[in-house]
Amino acid sequence: MNFYTEFYHGFSAHLNKSAIVLNDGTSWTYLDLHQSSGALAQKLRELGVSKGGRVSVQVNKSVQAVILYLACLRLGAVFHPMNPAYTLSELSFFLRDASPDLMVCRPEAEFELQDLMSELELSCVTLGSSGDGSLFENVTAQSDFETVDCEPDEAASLLYSSGTTGTPKGIVLSHQNLDANASVLVDAWGFSSDDVLLHALPIFHVHGLFVALGCAFKCGASMRWLPAYDVVEVRKALAESTVMMGVPTHYVRLLSDPEFGNRDVKTMRLFVSGSAPLLTETFEQFEQRTGHRILERYGMTETNMNTSNPLMGERRPGTVGPPLPGVSVKVVGTSEESVPAGEIGDLLVKGDNVFKTYWQLPDKNAESFTEDGYFRTGDKALIDADGYVSIVGREKDMIISGGLNVYPKEIESLIDRWPGVMESGVIGVPHQDFGEAVVAVLVLDGTADLDEAGLDASLKSKLANFKLPKRYITIDELPRNTMGKVGKAALRGQYAELFSD
Ligand code: MLC
Ligand code: AMP
């Protein structure tokens, strides 16, 4: 099998239809995507990428970046996308770990990356927002490239996610993982070739890459393509769309526009939310304003989508719905026995959607799965008597800001090295726009006053912008639990109102 071949089955009856339509009306048909991805796969092969080889990618969102993803699939290569916001030091970690055969970067980043590329003896080609750069040079649309056959378990993509240590782990997603989930979602959400999906998500994470593109390509739907999330542009695009997928911040921002309402959603049949908790308040306001009940679903990088509120049945705010077909979920207590309905415990999942292995970390595999093959999500949840799952918290020390994950440890270890700082606790506190905002609470050692601007600039040079604390707070002592661990829950409680006005 090859995930791309499954796409091809889905869209081959619609080859002359628009697959992707941009703001300015430019469009790519499915035939364009098929031919260009074949031609690019051929070029990747000439550049030394072979089956199983990694292609690391840090580029802006563009149709050509989608074609690159499809080309990697067709070649049997492993697509490794990265957030363009990552700094050189973050990138350096990922490239050392992934050891790719090829790096694709933005033309403007090529110079800055030169030293790292020579140190890693890595070839680098460029791809700009409009398809400019060396990657597509001499790539002609005509191609008879034959999509490479893969075993279902062979790697299709490599994405990173961190645990409590703040050190990112590579998650290997197979052709089967991706296809199993995309097939289930097309059915669960009633996707067809008549749909127009509003795509305003980034394409370096599961949500915009596998969930959104997967649903569209599996059935030959069209996509209305936005390079970034902008409320004015989204409102215009909604008028030509039938489905939108977004993180809660996307819905909060739509609602913050007083003009947004019924008139914007006349052609829409479905709004899907995920990647972070959707507040009941947002769900209700959205229904009042548009008449639509947002469908909330739950997933993660390691598993793609696990549960979803129903398309036809009752969508319950504050829940992420029952498990999707083919996915088993259970909530267990400390003895790993399922707890009764309505009780909170650790959420475990199992199914063809769930990854099998971390990249080159066999020890982590063992601790991440139970003996009977369930993956430990690190989320705290309950399942009610009707089978609806609610995510009530996280065991993992992770902040989700605007749908992007931030790992406190990574930031704390940098802050703790700053002159005058004895220790720090980084927390997420409620924020109207981002859901949670990153806040750093510091204890000074008395040797120097805090140079907050200097600390912020130093963090900025090392961390992607969305990880930067929105506020620094200095206190005398961090709260600790009986084990001596920093009491993050107490800190979160103390600063819960920080952004409330
Ligand atoms: C940007 N900024 C953020 C931020 N994004 N701050 C906190 N959290 C974020 N997520 C900051 C920048 O640092 C900058 O700060 C300022 O906001 C403007 O930057 P921008 O790039 O112009 O921001 P904007 O375009 O408004 O982007 C915000 C956003 C975007 C929410 C629209 O982050 C987004 O699209 N998020 C979706 C992420 C996503 O797709 N997640 C899915 C993960 S998959 P300054 O100070 O410099 O001005 C997954 C699995 C699953 O979780 O279940 O789906
Ligand atoms: P990531 O590994 O980056 O994909 O992040 C996955 C995590 O996001 C999950 O483990 C949850 O903690 C969280 N998440 C995703 N969707 C939801 C949702 N609908 N409600 C609450 N949390 C969610």
Side-chain angles (χ1 to χ4, degrees):
M1 79 168 295
N2 184 306
F3 188 33
Y4 180 84
T5 311
E6 305 304 317
F7 281 160
Y8 190 77
H9 287 152
F11 66 63
S12 57
H14 311 281
L15 282 178
N16 293 316
K17 192 183 156 202
S18 292
I20 302 185
V21 182
L22 304 190
N23 264 351
D24 64 4
T26 318
S27 75
W28 271 259
T29 62
Y30 273 104
L31 186 62
D32 294 334
L33 295 187
H34 182 62
Q35 291 187 331
S36 309
S37 60
L40 186 60
Q42 182 59 39
K43 167 127 184 209
L44 292 175
R45 189 176 271 163
E46 286 157 19
L47 288 169
V49 181
S50 49
K51 191 180 179 199
R54 272 83 52 213
V55 178
S56 294
V57 178
Q58 191 190 34
V59 298
N60 293 334
K61 182 177 176 180
S62 68
V63 178
Q64 288 77 9
V66 175
I67 293 169
L68 173 58
Y69 159 55
L70 297 177
C72 289
L73 288 177
R74 296 187 68 175
L75 188 55
V78 182
F79 185 65
H80 167 218
M82 290 175 284
N83 190 336
Y86 287 146
T87 62
L88 191 57
S89 65
E90 291 167 311
L91 198 68
S92 164
F93 172 88
F94 291 121
L95 294 181
R96 280 171 215 281
D97 195 72
S99 58
D101 291 359
L102 183 71
M103 168 73 188
V104 184
C105 74
R106 290 160 294 170
E108 60 273 26
E110 193 179 20
F111 180 72
E112 190 195 21
L113 288 180
Q114 247 173 14
D115 289 347
L116 181 62
M117 294 302 115
S118 359
E119 191 198 327
L120 301 177
E121 296 180 7
L122 181 55
S123 320
C124 183
V125 288
T126 58
L127 175 61
S129 304
S130 52
D132 50 307
S134 55
L135 178 66
F136 276 88
E137 267 168 21
N138 304 319
V139 175
T140 49
Q142 286 304 323
S143 160
D144 51 8
F145 184 86
E146 212 172 299
T147 299
V148 170
D149 208 19
C150 294
E151 293 301 318
D153 270 353
E154 272 184 274
S157 190
L158 177 65
L159 297 178
Y160 281 77
S161 179
S162 304
T164 46
T165 60
T167 308
K169 301 186 285 275
I171 295 156
V172 179
L173 291 159
S174 68
H175 287 264
Q176 185 188 32
N177 291 148
L178 301 181
D179 188 54
N181 215 230
S183 302
V184 162
L185 294 178
V186 165
D187 287 347
W189 297 341
F191 263 90
S192 78
S193 58
D194 293 336
D195 273 312
V196 180
L197 173 66
L198 195 165
H199 196 302
L201 286 155
I203 52 168
F204 46 78
H205 280 310
V206 163
H207 197 161
L209 185 61
F210 302 134
V211 182
L213 296 185
C215 285
F217 291 164
K218 281 287 279 192
C219 63
S222 298
M223 278 184 284
R224 194 56 182 70
W225 192 254
L226 297 179
Y229 191 88
D230 175 272
V231 171
V232 175
E233 295 302 329
V234 168
R235 283 189 60 195
K236 276 193 222 153
L238 276 175
E240 298 159 18
S241 307
T242 61
V243 182
M244 172 176 153
M245 294 181 189
V247 300
T249 299
H250 294 173
Y251 292 108
V252 169
R253 289 191 181 181
L254 270 176
L255 290 169
S256 69
D257 180 344
E259 303 281 309
F260 172 71
N262 260 328
R263 278 173 306 152
D264 294 279
V265 301
K266 289 204 175 106
T267 56
M268 292 295 292
R269 70 169 182 89
L270 180 65
F271 290 90
V272 181
S273 175
S275 310
L278 181 77
L279 296 182
T280 299
E281 182 191 317
T282 311
F283 179 97
E284 286 171 351
Q285 281 178 14
F286 202 85
E287 185 174 16
Q288 274 162 18
R289 205 81 87 76
T290 65
H292 281 270
R293 288 169 77 80
I294 298 173
L295 180 153
E296 185 172 8
R297 56 57 175 183
Y298 158 75
M300 59 192 303
T301 307
E302 284 92 335
T303 66
N304 276 281
M305 300 305 103
N306 297 309
T307 72
S308 170
N309 270 283
L311 181 66
M312 302 310 286
E314 189 193 353
R315 297 180 200 161
R316 293 188 190 164
T319 81
V320 292
L324 284 158
V327 183
S328 307
V329 307
K330 58 181 178 177
V331 171
V332 300
T334 39
S335 60
E336 302 228 316
E337 289 295 314
S338 290
V339 299
E343 266 184 36
I344 295 173
D346 297 324
L347 184 65
L348 309 182
V349 303
K350 187 173 171 177
D352 284 345
N353 55 313
V354 179
F355 84 123
K356 289 213 167 57
T357 179
Y358 285 110
W359 172 244
Q360 295 178 330
L361 290 171
D363 295 352
K364 292 281 175 226
N365 293 338
E367 69 194 46
S368 302
F369 289 89
T370 61
E371 272 178 16
D372 55 350
Y374 278 82
F375 174 64
R376 302 178 206 276
T377 64
D379 289 312
K380 293 277 181 196
L382 62 83
I383 306 179
D384 71 15
D386 301 329
Y388 279 63
V389 177
S390 297
I391 308 295
V392 298
R394 291 169 216 135
E395 193 186 12
K396 50 201 174 191
D397 191 11
M398 177 179 95
I399 300 164
I400 308 183
S401 175
L404 295 174
N405 295 357
V406 180
Y407 297 90
K409 187 85 184 165
E410 185 185 12
I411 306 167
E412 288 160 3
S413 56
L414 292 172
I415 295 179
D416 292 352
R417 279 185 245 149
W418 186 252
V421 174
M422 187 161 81
E423 59 175 351
S424 60
V426 168
I427 51 171
V429 304
H431 188 277
Q432 171 68 17
D433 185 33
F434 292 121
E436 287 183 297
V438 177
V439 170
V441 185
L442 286 70
V443 176
L444 302 183
D445 62 12
T447 59
D449 287 340
L450 180 69
D451 170 11
E452 192 178 304
L455 170 60
D456 195 55
S458 164
L459 293 182
K460 210 175 236 160
S461 69
K462 298 185 182 82
L463 297 173
N465 58 8
F466 65 89
K467 300 179 187 172
L468 296 175
K470 304 271 184 229
R471 209 66 78 76
Y472 297 88
I473 297 169
T474 304
I475 60 173
D476 290 338
E477 199 181 339
L478 292 176
R480 295 198 181 269
N481 63 19
T482 45
M483 312 287 286
K485 240 179 110 189
V486 174
K488 291 279 177 87
L491 275 181
R492 281 194 292 269
Q494 200 172 336
Y495 296 108
E497 305 292 322
L498 199 60
F499 296 99
S500 62
D501 28 79

